[in-house]
Amino acid sequence: AVVIIYILTGRELNLSGTNLVLITVLAVFTHSAYGFVRDVLEQLFNRQERRMRQELSTLGREATSEESLQRYLSRGLAILCHNLNASRGFIAIRQGEQYTVVASFHSLPVDTQFPLKAAALEGVAQPDSPIFPHIAWLAPGYAGSEQETVIGIGPRKDQGPYHEEDLYWLEDIAQEISHIVHLNRSPGPSANTEAAAQTPAQAEEA
């Protein structure tokens, strides 16, 4: 379809047969190059996502105490911001009737608290509260029917927009982090077993 458009445009401009051939070749090459670049970028994105999941999975299995959970969340946030090229970010977990920031990357200070309703979300959304300055997107993390965590990320460092795949990834990682937080808080030896430490995505792959 793209090639036909190029040819018709060339005829309307009364171009010679040679120029029409050149335009046709250029159209085919441009379309093929675009498809090749798109495929390469998609493969790189998928590879990057797998690496991130593997690293978070390893960290999650080691998060068996409050101290190790803190390290897990801080490292997980750093990985997330790096892969999304986010300028800043934070992770807050539910504590009673409020959220408490437990990990921060150039964002809200650790131990900052805010009410549950300020981050009551069903999915990834842009914040509408002054509580979250310089935050572009919020993502909730659920364990069952209860929202356990919320992740906030700032604008991209390159000032570009976040793509749909980025936001899907953000929401997915928020769910995995919430799962680890929930297991860490759950009493009983099963919380520390490798089977229990599997995230929903890992369990599905298994």
Side-chain angles (χ1 to χ4, degrees):
V2 175
V3 174
I4 294 175
I5 291 174
Y6 272 85
I7 293 176
L8 292 177
T9 302
R11 286 181 176 177
E12 290 181 0
L13 295 175
N14 297 321
L15 297 180
S16 66
T18 302
N19 287 334
L20 282 175
V21 171
L22 290 174
I23 287 177
T24 302
V25 172
L26 178 61
V28 172
F29 174 77
T30 302
H31 185 70
S32 300
Y34 170 78
F36 173 75
V37 172
R38 181 187 60 192
D39 291 342
V40 169
L41 290 177
E42 184 176 353
Q43 291 176 9
L44 289 174
F45 180 84
N46 291 335
R47 190 180 308 164
Q48 186 181 50
E49 183 178 6
R50 285 196 299 271
R51 283 201 303 266
M52 180 177 181
R53 288 186 182 280
Q54 290 170 355
E55 187 165 358
L56 286 175
S57 173
T58 300
L59 290 168
R61 285 195 294 269
E62 297 172 352
T64 56
S65 66
E66 284 294 331
E67 183 179 354
S68 59
L69 178 64
Q70 181 77 31
R71 290 198 302 270
Y72 162 75
L73 294 174
S74 296
R75 179 55 181 159
L77 178 63
I79 296 171
L80 179 66
C81 289
H82 173 76
N83 282 276
L84 292 179
N85 199 27
S87 58
R88 66 193 74 241
F90 72 87
I91 297 176
I93 63 175
R94 180 172 181 165
Q95 294 182 337
E97 296 302 314
Q98 56 195 4
Y99 285 106
T100 301
V101 175
V102 293
S104 179
F105 177 71
H106 305 311
S107 186
L108 299 177
V110 172
D111 293 330
T112 297
Q113 296 181 328
F114 51 87
L116 298 182
K117 63 180 181 180
L121 305 167
E122 294 184 358
V124 175
Q126 294 181 301
D128 57 3
S129 170
I131 295 175
F132 309 110
H134 312 301
I135 294 297
W137 291 93
L138 294 173
Y142 280 83
S145 60
E146 295 292 329
Q147 184 178 340
E148 293 273 356
T149 63
V150 60
I151 297 178
I153 58 171
R156 288 175 57 91
K157 292 180 181 178
D158 58 10
Q159 302 302 315
Y162 287 107
H163 300 295
E164 184 178 353
E165 294 84 358
D166 298 327
L167 300 179
Y168 174 80
W169 192 7
L170 171 63
E171 186 173 26
D172 204 29
I173 295 302
Q175 287 297 110
E176 295 199 22
I177 287 178
S178 180
H179 182 74
I180 295 299
V181 170
H182 178 71
L183 289 176
N184 184 270
R185 290 173 163 183
S186 300
S190 62
N192 294 330
T193 64
E194 183 174 350
Q198 283 189 324
T199 63
Q202 293 168 316
E204 183 177 342
E205 292 176 0

